[in-house]
């Protein structure tokens, strides 16, 4: 193996020499000359002093011994025989320590970090690059965006420059400075791997994904572009071992600074809401609603008495713009709306009945409440079953009791699906409307829906608005042969 590598190297060197003597450089060499790796030394020297190390102390009082056992306890005799019957003692205070990073955003001592870094902290200690140490006060923290603002009593501090994450491009060089594994002022470099990344259970932050080496202790530290501007806060890593695996996620700095400004001004974060439930627009559902591209957010229900209902937004509308800003997908809408100050009047551009229209909505304030458990129910089946329609659904008309129980005025019951589930349709669902060719028709009877489906051509997309328990949503199915 060694001989092969050496022989290959000699052969390549011979070709390179021949090319140089011939008066030209090989293409690979010429390309390398114009694609030199960036030099991060100046960035580190200029921006490094604005990055801080954070040490957090949490104090917990607990009993160091097992709970005292009574003589009636089944384990009492077992412990007595070995002479070690547990006795309760006075509670003792224990300290746990953790570390993170942060960066200075104002010369008078305001510092940004992650909310999870300072969560439940009894003491937050900040250490600057000049070795000065301060005890910081937590001004506020927002768990939804994982952003916290802390303050130290200092003046004339170096501060970071805020950049524009929107201008970031995938493949662009970025660097992080932080305290991985307790190693202060460590710089690591990589590229932007993706933008607007959605992560499970969090739809308010369009994360920047990088392959920068981020490890425990980097949390809360800045992500810089090559101009030395902060474009994100390093927050999460994907790891099976607890360490770097090439997947790191940063909170865009514009999202973070919106939170920071609110925490500094009023100590808490308010978010906008318009009172709609939405779902993704698929290619099939876009076809059935007459929309050229699968874009926007499909409204599957509107909160009764909420801002959207008062403004005239209806289920089946597709919200494609907010104040002229494109809604690229369903995850984009809550990110846009929650950043708007409650009480602001905005213009929603919606797609309805094959055309767009503008609707003025006044944004309300989102309350941080846990969603109530959804009640799931299935309407009782009728006595006689009809034959499957072209979509493979057995439909029947709702009885007055079923309409009253489901709290609907009209609708058609999906009694059975002999060939298996179609799309996301299940037996017991109630069809509220049928959309195809850009036209939405309210479902009033099983006969009406069956006849409507029978008129459609093979390959056409049909979107059903369904009610299941207390939930309403859309399901799109493309018609094939034999259906």
């Amino acid at each position: 193996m060694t001989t092969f590598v050496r022989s290959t190297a000699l052969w390549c060197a011979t070709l390179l020499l021949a090319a140089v003597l011939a008066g030209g450089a090989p293409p690979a060499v010429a390309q390398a000359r114009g694609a030199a790796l960036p030099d991060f030394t100046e960035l580190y020297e200029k921006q490094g002093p604005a990055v801080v190390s954070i040490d957090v102390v949490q104090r917990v009082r607990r009993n160091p011994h097992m709970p005292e056992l009574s003589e009636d306890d089944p384990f009492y005799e077992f412990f007595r025989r070995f002479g070690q019957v547990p006795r309760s003692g006075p509670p003792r205070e224990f300290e746990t320590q953790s570390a993170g990073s942060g960066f200075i955003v104002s010369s008078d001592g305001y510092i940004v970090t992650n909310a999870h870094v300072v969560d439940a902290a009894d003491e937050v200690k900040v250490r600057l690059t000049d070795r000065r140490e301060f005890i910081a006060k937590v001004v506020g923290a927002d768990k939804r965006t994982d952003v916290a603002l802390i303050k130290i009593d200092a003046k004339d501090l170096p501060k970071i420059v805020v950049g524009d994450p929107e201008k970031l491009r995938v493949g662009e060089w970025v660097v992080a400075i932080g305290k991985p594994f307790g190693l202060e002022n460590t710089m690591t470099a990589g590229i932007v791997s993706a933008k607007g990344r959605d992560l499970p259970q969090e739809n308010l932050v369009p994360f920047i994904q990088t392959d920068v080496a981020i490890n425990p202790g980097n949390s809360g530290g800045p992500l810089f572009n090559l101009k030395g501007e902060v474009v994100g806060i390093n927050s999460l890593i994907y790891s099976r071992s607890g360490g770097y695996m090439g997947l790191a996620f940063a909170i865009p700095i514009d999202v973070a600074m919106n939170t920071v400004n609110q925490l500094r001004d009023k100590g808490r974060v308010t978010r906008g809401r318009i009172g709609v439930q939405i779902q993704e627009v698929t290619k099939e559902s876009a076809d059935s609603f007459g929309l050229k591209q699968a874009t926007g957010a499909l409204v599957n229900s509107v909160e009764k008495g909420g801002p959207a209902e008062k403004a005239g937004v209806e289920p089946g509308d597709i919200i494609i713009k907010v104040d002229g800003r494109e809604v690229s997908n369903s995850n984009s809408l809550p990110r846009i709306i929650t950043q708007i100050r409650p009480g602001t009047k905005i213009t929603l551009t919606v797609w309805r009945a094959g055309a767009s229209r503008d609707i003025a909505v006044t944004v309300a304030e989102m309350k941080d409440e846990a969603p109530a458990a959804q009640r799931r129910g299935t309407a009782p089946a009728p006595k006689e079953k009809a034959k499957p329609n072209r979509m493979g659904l057995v439909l029947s008309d709702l009885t007055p009791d079923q309409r009253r129980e489901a709290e609907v005025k009209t609708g058609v019951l999906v009694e059975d699906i002999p060939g298996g589930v179609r799309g996301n349709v299940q037996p017991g669902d109630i069809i509220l409307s049928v959309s195809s060719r850009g036209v939405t028709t309210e479902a009033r009877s099983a006969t009406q829906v069956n006849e409507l489906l029978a008129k459609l051509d093979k390959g056409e997309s049909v979107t059903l608005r369904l009610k299941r328990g207390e939930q309403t949503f859309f399901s799109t199915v493309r018609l094939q042969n034999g259906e």
Side-chain angles (χ1 to χ4, degrees):
M1 183 68 179
T2 303
T3 303
F4 174 78
V5 172
R6 288 176 178 172
S7 299
T8 303
L10 179 60
W11 177 74
C12 291
T14 302
L15 288 180
L16 178 62
L17 178 60
V20 172
L21 292 176
V29 175
Q31 185 177 0
R33 288 174 181 169
L37 292 175
D39 184 353
F40 305 117
T41 55
E42 185 176 350
L43 189 156
Y44 183 82
E45 291 171 358
K46 288 186 176 182
Q47 307 303 329
V51 183
V52 304
S53 299
I54 297 176
D55 292 298
V56 174
V57 175
Q58 293 176 320
R59 298 184 181 94
V60 181
R61 291 179 63 84
R62 65 174 181 265
N63 193 323
H65 304 290
M66 294 179 62
E68 185 171 356
L69 296 180
S70 70
E71 295 184 6
D72 296 330
D73 193 288
F75 288 100
Y76 180 86
E77 185 63 23
F78 172 80
F79 284 108
R80 186 190 67 79
R81 292 189 178 205
F82 289 94
Q84 296 290 335
V85 177
R87 302 293 182 187
S88 62
R92 292 172 54 188
E93 188 175 84
F94 294 84
E95 285 191 355
T96 61
Q97 296 185 348
S98 58
S101 305
F103 52 94
I104 303 169
V105 292
S106 66
S107 58
D108 57 350
Y110 282 99
I111 295 169
V112 173
T113 185
N114 280 145
H116 76 261
V117 171
V118 298
D119 186 33
D122 290 299
E123 183 180 272
V124 179
K125 184 183 295 184
V126 172
R127 183 181 176 93
L128 308 183
T129 56
D130 61 9
R131 303 305 178 189
R132 286 186 293 168
E133 294 185 354
F134 300 85
I135 300 300
K137 172 189 175 183
V138 178
V139 178
D142 179 52
K143 292 185 179 181
R144 288 297 302 271
T145 54
D146 196 21
V147 174
L149 181 67
I150 62 178
K151 176 74 165 61
I152 61 175
D153 188 11
K155 296 181 179 179
D156 301 323
L157 297 175
K159 63 179 182 178
I160 57 91
V161 177
V162 175
D164 185 358
E166 291 293 328
K167 295 180 180 179
L168 271 182
R169 295 185 299 170
V170 174
E172 180 176 341
W173 280 97
V174 284
V175 298
I177 303 178
K179 188 182 180 181
F181 301 114
L183 302 173
E184 297 181 3
N185 306 110
T186 297
M187 172 182 271
T188 52
I191 62 169
V192 176
S193 303
K195 292 178 61 178
R197 188 67 84 192
D198 302 321
L199 297 183
Q201 300 179 339
E202 184 50 72
N203 63 350
L204 298 186
V205 179
F207 285 95
I208 303 167
Q209 180 184 330
T210 74
D211 68 350
V212 179
I214 300 297
N215 286 290
N218 272 119
S219 290
L223 182 72
F224 292 97
N225 61 19
L226 289 186
K227 296 179 182 179
E229 301 167 336
V230 173
V231 292
I233 304 177
N234 298 306
S235 178
L236 299 168
I237 60 172
Y238 172 82
S239 176
R240 293 181 179 177
S241 63
Y244 169 69
M245 292 188 70
L247 290 172
F249 301 92
I251 305 162
I253 194 63
D254 56 344
V255 174
M257 291 308 295
N258 180 286
T259 299
V260 166
N261 292 334
Q262 292 193 61
L263 291 175
R264 180 160 47 186
D265 293 342
K266 51 191 176 185
R268 70 185 188 97
V269 177
T270 58
R271 295 186 174 87
R273 60 181 291 273
I274 58 174
V276 295
Q277 289 187 355
I278 57 174
Q279 66 185 71
E280 191 69 26
V281 178
T282 64
K283 181 62 172 66
E284 290 76 14
S285 59
D287 290 343
S288 65
F289 283 106
L291 195 60
K292 292 182 179 180
Q293 295 180 335
T295 186
L298 176 58
V299 178
N300 58 38
S301 66
V302 182
E303 176 190 322
K304 186 173 294 186
E309 186 193 53
K310 292 178 180 178
V313 178
E314 300 177 357
D317 287 347
I318 298 177
I319 301 174
I320 54 179
K321 290 183 182 179
V322 177
D323 281 342
R325 181 178 175 181
E326 298 285 346
V327 178
S328 57
N329 53 50
S330 60
N331 286 327
S332 300
L333 184 64
R335 293 170 183 167
I336 296 172
I337 297 297
T338 54
Q339 296 290 312
I340 299 174
R341 182 171 53 87
T344 304
K345 182 170 287 188
I346 61 174
T347 300
L348 300 181
T349 302
V350 304
W351 182 263
R352 181 191 299 171
S356 62
R357 64 181 67 191
D358 291 337
I359 300 176
V361 180
T362 301
V363 177
E365 182 177 348
M366 177 187 291
K367 303 296 182 182
D368 289 331
E369 297 176 345
Q374 293 184 342
R375 185 179 71 238
R376 296 176 63 90
T378 300
K383 297 179 180 180
E384 296 183 2
K385 291 186 178 181
K387 295 180 180 180
N389 62 20
R390 190 179 174 209
M391 193 178 282
L393 309 178
V394 177
L395 305 181
S396 62
D397 296 334
L398 291 174
T399 65
D401 289 341
Q402 290 171 342
R403 285 198 297 271
R404 185 166 49 253
E405 182 181 350
E407 298 180 345
V408 296
K409 294 181 180 179
T410 60
V412 175
L413 176 67
V414 179
E415 181 182 340
D416 193 14
I417 309 177
V421 176
R422 300 288 295 128
N424 192 27
V425 186
Q426 299 179 9
D429 289 347
I430 296 175
I431 300 176
L432 301 177
S433 66
V434 180
S435 300
S436 185
R437 301 175 182 174
V439 178
T440 299
T441 304
E442 186 177 14
R444 296 184 175 277
S445 70
T447 301
Q448 171 217 19
V449 173
N450 289 336
E451 290 178 350
L452 191 154
L453 295 176
K455 297 177 182 179
L456 300 178
D457 298 329
K458 170 196 170 184
E460 285 198 52
S461 295
V462 179
T463 296
L464 305 178
R465 181 167 180 254
L466 304 168
K467 184 175 178 65
R468 183 181 300 162
E470 294 184 350
Q471 182 184 17
T472 59
F473 58 97
F474 290 90
S475 180
T476 302
V477 178
R478 187 179 294 277
L479 296 177
Q480 305 294 337
N481 275 336
E483 295 178 344

PDB file of all heavy atoms in Angstrom, residues 341-365:
ATOM      1  N   ARG A 341     -46.252  43.029  16.662  1.00  0.00           N
ATOM      2  CA  ARG A 341     -46.732  43.552  17.933  1.00  0.00           C
ATOM      3  C   ARG A 341     -48.260  43.466  17.993  1.00  0.00           C
ATOM      4  O   ARG A 341     -48.956  43.880  17.065  1.00  0.00           O
ATOM      5  CB  ARG A 341     -46.275  44.998  18.100  1.00  0.00           C
ATOM      6  CG  ARG A 341     -46.676  45.649  19.424  1.00  0.00           C
ATOM      7  CD  ARG A 341     -45.982  46.991  19.591  1.00  0.00           C
ATOM      8  NE  ARG A 341     -46.205  47.834  18.428  1.00  0.00           N
ATOM      9  CZ  ARG A 341     -47.252  48.630  18.271  1.00  0.00           C
ATOM     10  NH1 ARG A 341     -48.191  48.660  19.205  1.00  0.00           N
ATOM     11  NH2 ARG A 341     -47.373  49.380  17.195  1.00  0.00           N
ATOM     12  N   PRO A 342     -48.797  42.916  19.086  1.00  0.00           N
ATOM     13  CA  PRO A 342     -50.252  42.852  19.240  1.00  0.00           C
ATOM     14  C   PRO A 342     -50.880  44.229  19.115  1.00  0.00           C
ATOM     15  O   PRO A 342     -50.355  45.230  19.609  1.00  0.00           O
ATOM     16  CB  PRO A 342     -50.428  42.285  20.652  1.00  0.00           C
ATOM     17  CG  PRO A 342     -49.184  41.486  20.883  1.00  0.00           C
ATOM     18  CD  PRO A 342     -48.090  42.234  20.187  1.00  0.00           C
ATOM     19  N   GLY A 343     -52.027  44.298  18.445  1.00  0.00           N
ATOM     20  CA  GLY A 343     -52.707  45.561  18.202  1.00  0.00           C
ATOM     21  C   GLY A 343     -52.412  46.146  16.834  1.00  0.00           C
ATOM     22  O   GLY A 343     -53.080  47.094  16.402  1.00  0.00           O
ATOM     23  N   THR A 344     -51.414  45.572  16.141  1.00  0.00           N
ATOM     24  CA  THR A 344     -51.054  46.052  14.807  1.00  0.00           C
ATOM     25  C   THR A 344     -52.049  45.551  13.773  1.00  0.00           C
ATOM     26  O   THR A 344     -52.460  44.388  13.796  1.00  0.00           O
ATOM     27  CB  THR A 344     -49.639  45.579  14.427  1.00  0.00           C
ATOM     28  OG1 THR A 344     -48.711  46.013  15.428  1.00  0.00           O
ATOM     29  CG2 THR A 344     -49.225  46.124  13.079  1.00  0.00           C
ATOM     30  N   LYS A 345     -52.440  46.411  12.856  1.00  0.00           N
ATOM     31  CA  LYS A 345     -53.328  46.003  11.765  1.00  0.00           C
ATOM     32  C   LYS A 345     -52.473  45.570  10.579  1.00  0.00           C
ATOM     33  O   LYS A 345     -51.586  46.301  10.141  1.00  0.00           O
ATOM     34  CB  LYS A 345     -54.259  47.141  11.354  1.00  0.00           C
ATOM     35  CG  LYS A 345     -55.247  46.768  10.250  1.00  0.00           C
ATOM     36  CD  LYS A 345     -56.301  47.838  10.037  1.00  0.00           C
ATOM     37  CE  LYS A 345     -57.300  47.862  11.174  1.00  0.00           C
ATOM     38  NZ  LYS A 345     -58.442  48.777  10.875  1.00  0.00           N
ATOM     39  N   ILE A 346     -52.710  44.368  10.088  1.00  0.00           N
ATOM     40  CA  ILE A 346     -51.936  43.814   8.977  1.00  0.00           C
ATOM     41  C   ILE A 346     -52.872  43.445   7.831  1.00  0.00           C
ATOM     42  O   ILE A 346     -54.099  43.385   8.011  1.00  0.00           O
ATOM     43  CB  ILE A 346     -51.137  42.559   9.402  1.00  0.00           C
ATOM     44  CG1 ILE A 346     -52.100  41.462   9.882  1.00  0.00           C
ATOM     45  CG2 ILE A 346     -50.117  42.913  10.484  1.00  0.00           C
ATOM     46  CD1 ILE A 346     -51.422  40.146  10.182  1.00  0.00           C
ATOM     47  N   THR A 347     -52.281  43.204   6.671  1.00  0.00           N
ATOM     48  CA  THR A 347     -53.054  42.780   5.503  1.00  0.00           C
ATOM     49  C   THR A 347     -52.658  41.358   5.122  1.00  0.00           C
ATOM     50  O   THR A 347     -51.492  41.093   4.816  1.00  0.00           O
ATOM     51  CB  THR A 347     -52.815  43.716   4.310  1.00  0.00           C
ATOM     52  OG1 THR A 347     -53.214  45.038   4.659  1.00  0.00           O
ATOM     53  CG2 THR A 347     -53.603  43.255   3.092  1.00  0.00           C
ATOM     54  N   LEU A 348     -53.626  40.465   5.185  1.00  0.00           N
ATOM     55  CA  LEU A 348     -53.423  39.093   4.727  1.00  0.00           C
ATOM     56  C   LEU A 348     -53.879  38.981   3.281  1.00  0.00           C
ATOM     57  O   LEU A 348     -54.990  39.401   2.950  1.00  0.00           O
ATOM     58  CB  LEU A 348     -54.216  38.101   5.580  1.00  0.00           C
ATOM     59  CG  LEU A 348     -53.916  38.024   7.078  1.00  0.00           C
ATOM     60  CD1 LEU A 348     -54.793  36.952   7.717  1.00  0.00           C
ATOM     61  CD2 LEU A 348     -52.448  37.737   7.330  1.00  0.00           C
ATOM     62  N   THR A 349     -53.032  38.422   2.435  1.00  0.00           N
ATOM     63  CA  THR A 349     -53.435  38.098   1.070  1.00  0.00           C
ATOM     64  C   THR A 349     -53.777  36.619   1.043  1.00  0.00           C
ATOM     65  O   THR A 349     -52.918  35.776   1.328  1.00  0.00           O
ATOM     66  CB  THR A 349     -52.321  38.406   0.068  1.00  0.00           C
ATOM     67  OG1 THR A 349     -51.968  39.793   0.166  1.00  0.00           O
ATOM     68  CG2 THR A 349     -52.780  38.110  -1.358  1.00  0.00           C
ATOM     69  N   VAL A 350     -55.029  36.305   0.744  1.00  0.00           N
ATOM     70  CA  VAL A 350     -55.482  34.913   0.772  1.00  0.00           C
ATOM     71  C   VAL A 350     -55.951  34.493  -0.617  1.00  0.00           C
ATOM     72  O   VAL A 350     -56.396  35.315  -1.430  1.00  0.00           O
ATOM     73  CB  VAL A 350     -56.619  34.705   1.796  1.00  0.00           C
ATOM     74  CG1 VAL A 350     -56.182  35.162   3.179  1.00  0.00           C
ATOM     75  CG2 VAL A 350     -57.884  35.428   1.384  1.00  0.00           C
ATOM     76  N   TRP A 351     -55.848  33.204  -0.856  1.00  0.00           N
ATOM     77  CA  TRP A 351     -56.330  32.597  -2.103  1.00  0.00           C
ATOM     78  C   TRP A 351     -57.666  31.933  -1.790  1.00  0.00           C
ATOM     79  O   TRP A 351     -57.752  31.051  -0.943  1.00  0.00           O
ATOM     80  CB  TRP A 351     -55.320  31.582  -2.618  1.00  0.00           C
ATOM     81  CG  TRP A 351     -55.726  30.941  -3.923  1.00  0.00           C
ATOM     82  CD1 TRP A 351     -56.346  29.745  -4.082  1.00  0.00           C
ATOM     83  CD2 TRP A 351     -55.517  31.469  -5.236  1.00  0.00           C
ATOM     84  NE1 TRP A 351     -56.546  29.484  -5.410  1.00  0.00           N
ATOM     85  CE2 TRP A 351     -56.046  30.524  -6.148  1.00  0.00           C
ATOM     86  CE3 TRP A 351     -54.942  32.632  -5.723  1.00  0.00           C
ATOM     87  CZ2 TRP A 351     -56.009  30.727  -7.522  1.00  0.00           C
ATOM     88  CZ3 TRP A 351     -54.910  32.832  -7.090  1.00  0.00           C
ATOM     89  CH2 TRP A 351     -55.437  31.882  -7.975  1.00  0.00           C
ATOM     90  N   ARG A 352     -58.717  32.378  -2.485  1.00  0.00           N
ATOM     91  CA  ARG A 352     -60.055  31.846  -2.242  1.00  0.00           C
ATOM     92  C   ARG A 352     -60.820  31.791  -3.553  1.00  0.00           C
ATOM     93  O   ARG A 352     -60.852  32.763  -4.300  1.00  0.00           O
ATOM     94  CB  ARG A 352     -60.807  32.716  -1.227  1.00  0.00           C
ATOM     95  CG  ARG A 352     -62.214  32.209  -0.911  1.00  0.00           C
ATOM     96  CD  ARG A 352     -62.996  33.243  -0.117  1.00  0.00           C
ATOM     97  NE  ARG A 352     -62.389  33.557   1.170  1.00  0.00           N
ATOM     98  CZ  ARG A 352     -62.790  34.544   1.960  1.00  0.00           C
ATOM     99  NH1 ARG A 352     -63.822  35.315   1.583  1.00  0.00           N
ATOM    100  NH2 ARG A 352     -62.191  34.781   3.105  1.00  0.00           N
ATOM    101  N   ALA A 353     -61.404  30.640  -3.832  1.00  0.00           N
ATOM    102  CA  ALA A 353     -62.254  30.464  -5.024  1.00  0.00           C
ATOM    103  C   ALA A 353     -61.522  30.853  -6.300  1.00  0.00           C
ATOM    104  O   ALA A 353     -62.082  31.508  -7.181  1.00  0.00           O
ATOM    105  CB  ALA A 353     -63.547  31.256  -4.880  1.00  0.00           C
ATOM    106  N   GLY A 354     -60.247  30.466  -6.398  1.00  0.00           N
ATOM    107  CA  GLY A 354     -59.495  30.682  -7.627  1.00  0.00           C
ATOM    108  C   GLY A 354     -58.960  32.080  -7.833  1.00  0.00           C
ATOM    109  O   GLY A 354     -58.505  32.414  -8.922  1.00  0.00           O
ATOM    110  N   ALA A 355     -58.999  32.927  -6.799  1.00  0.00           N
ATOM    111  CA  ALA A 355     -58.487  34.294  -6.923  1.00  0.00           C
ATOM    112  C   ALA A 355     -57.944  34.757  -5.584  1.00  0.00           C
ATOM    113  O   ALA A 355     -58.317  34.238  -4.523  1.00  0.00           O
ATOM    114  CB  ALA A 355     -59.582  35.247  -7.400  1.00  0.00           C
ATOM    115  N   SER A 356     -57.042  35.744  -5.632  1.00  0.00           N
ATOM    116  CA  SER A 356     -56.473  36.292  -4.392  1.00  0.00           C
ATOM    117  C   SER A 356     -57.253  37.521  -3.973  1.00  0.00           C
ATOM    118  O   SER A 356     -57.816  38.243  -4.805  1.00  0.00           O
ATOM    119  CB  SER A 356     -54.996  36.653  -4.598  1.00  0.00           C
ATOM    120  OG  SER A 356     -54.862  37.664  -5.584  1.00  0.00           O
ATOM    121  N   ARG A 357     -57.289  37.749  -2.660  1.00  0.00           N
ATOM    122  CA  ARG A 357     -57.951  38.928  -2.121  1.00  0.00           C
ATOM    123  C   ARG A 357     -57.227  39.348  -0.853  1.00  0.00           C
ATOM    124  O   ARG A 357     -56.584  38.533  -0.180  1.00  0.00           O
ATOM    125  CB  ARG A 357     -59.419  38.650  -1.834  1.00  0.00           C
ATOM    126  CG  ARG A 357     -59.673  37.604  -0.768  1.00  0.00           C
ATOM    127  CD  ARG A 357     -61.154  37.374  -0.547  1.00  0.00           C
ATOM    128  NE  ARG A 357     -61.786  36.773  -1.714  1.00  0.00           N
ATOM    129  CZ  ARG A 357     -63.096  36.665  -1.873  1.00  0.00           C
ATOM    130  NH1 ARG A 357     -63.912  37.150  -0.950  1.00  0.00           N
ATOM    131  NH2 ARG A 357     -63.602  36.086  -2.936  1.00  0.00           N
ATOM    132  N   ASP A 358     -57.321  40.627  -0.501  1.00  0.00           N
ATOM    133  CA  ASP A 358     -56.676  41.170   0.690  1.00  0.00           C
ATOM    134  C   ASP A 358     -57.690  41.318   1.816  1.00  0.00           C
ATOM    135  O   ASP A 358     -58.823  41.767   1.600  1.00  0.00           O
ATOM    136  CB  ASP A 358     -56.041  42.533   0.405  1.00  0.00           C
ATOM    137  CG  ASP A 358     -54.833  42.436  -0.519  1.00  0.00           C
ATOM    138  OD1 ASP A 358     -54.236  41.339  -0.577  1.00  0.00           O
ATOM    139  OD2 ASP A 358     -54.489  43.425  -1.166  1.00  0.00           O
ATOM    140  N   ILE A 359     -57.261  40.920   3.018  1.00  0.00           N
ATOM    141  CA  ILE A 359     -58.119  41.021   4.201  1.00  0.00           C
ATOM    142  C   ILE A 359     -57.331  41.712   5.305  1.00  0.00           C
ATOM    143  O   ILE A 359     -56.219  41.311   5.629  1.00  0.00           O
ATOM    144  CB  ILE A 359     -58.584  39.622   4.673  1.00  0.00           C
ATOM    145  CG1 ILE A 359     -59.377  38.916   3.568  1.00  0.00           C
ATOM    146  CG2 ILE A 359     -59.411  39.727   5.945  1.00  0.00           C
ATOM    147  CD1 ILE A 359     -59.794  37.502   3.925  1.00  0.00           C
ATOM    148  N   ALA A 360     -57.904  42.756   5.889  1.00  0.00           N
ATOM    149  CA  ALA A 360     -57.262  43.482   6.986  1.00  0.00           C
ATOM    150  C   ALA A 360     -57.594  42.798   8.306  1.00  0.00           C
ATOM    151  O   ALA A 360     -58.767  42.569   8.625  1.00  0.00           O
ATOM    152  CB  ALA A 360     -57.730  44.929   7.009  1.00  0.00           C
ATOM    153  N   VAL A 361     -56.554  42.470   9.083  1.00  0.00           N
ATOM    154  CA  VAL A 361     -56.711  41.771  10.361  1.00  0.00           C
ATOM    155  C   VAL A 361     -55.937  42.526  11.435  1.00  0.00           C
ATOM    156  O   VAL A 361     -54.797  42.946  11.208  1.00  0.00           O
ATOM    157  CB  VAL A 361     -56.190  40.322  10.274  1.00  0.00           C
ATOM    158  CG1 VAL A 361     -56.368  39.605  11.610  1.00  0.00           C
ATOM    159  CG2 VAL A 361     -56.897  39.561   9.162  1.00  0.00           C
ATOM    160  N   THR A 362     -56.535  42.666  12.610  1.00  0.00           N
ATOM    161  CA  THR A 362     -55.842  43.264  13.750  1.00  0.00           C
ATOM    162  C   THR A 362     -55.275  42.153  14.622  1.00  0.00           C
ATOM    163  O   THR A 362     -56.019  41.300  15.119  1.00  0.00           O
ATOM    164  CB  THR A 362     -56.799  44.143  14.579  1.00  0.00           C
ATOM    165  OG1 THR A 362     -57.325  45.180  13.744  1.00  0.00           O
ATOM    166  CG2 THR A 362     -56.067  44.769  15.751  1.00  0.00           C
ATOM    167  N   VAL A 363     -53.972  42.146  14.789  1.00  0.00           N
ATOM    168  CA  VAL A 363     -53.280  41.068  15.505  1.00  0.00           C
ATOM    169  C   VAL A 363     -53.573  41.149  16.996  1.00  0.00           C
ATOM    170  O   VAL A 363     -53.530  42.232  17.592  1.00  0.00           O
ATOM    171  CB  VAL A 363     -51.765  41.154  15.256  1.00  0.00           C
ATOM    172  CG1 VAL A 363     -51.021  40.087  16.057  1.00  0.00           C
ATOM    173  CG2 VAL A 363     -51.467  41.023  13.768  1.00  0.00           C
ATOM    174  N   ALA A 364     -53.887  39.999  17.608  1.00  0.00           N
ATOM    175  CA  ALA A 364     -54.109  39.919  19.055  1.00  0.00           C
ATOM    176  C   ALA A 364     -52.865  39.358  19.727  1.00  0.00           C
ATOM    177  O   ALA A 364     -51.901  38.966  19.060  1.00  0.00           O
ATOM    178  CB  ALA A 364     -55.329  39.040  19.348  1.00  0.00           C
ATOM    179  N   GLU A 365     -52.889  39.284  21.044  1.00  0.00           N
ATOM    180  CA  GLU A 365     -51.727  38.784  21.791  1.00  0.00           C
ATOM    181  C   GLU A 365     -51.868  37.300  22.085  1.00  0.00           C
ATOM    182  O   GLU A 365     -52.932  36.837  22.508  1.00  0.00           O
ATOM    183  CB  GLU A 365     -51.558  39.546  23.106  1.00  0.00           C
ATOM    184  CG  GLU A 365     -50.336  39.106  23.901  1.00  0.00           C
ATOM    185  CD  GLU A 365     -50.122  39.914  25.166  1.00  0.00           C
ATOM    186  OE1 GLU A 365     -50.773  40.967  25.321  1.00  0.00           O
ATOM    187  OE2 GLU A 365     -49.303  39.482  26.012  1.00  0.00           O
TER     188      GLU A 365
END
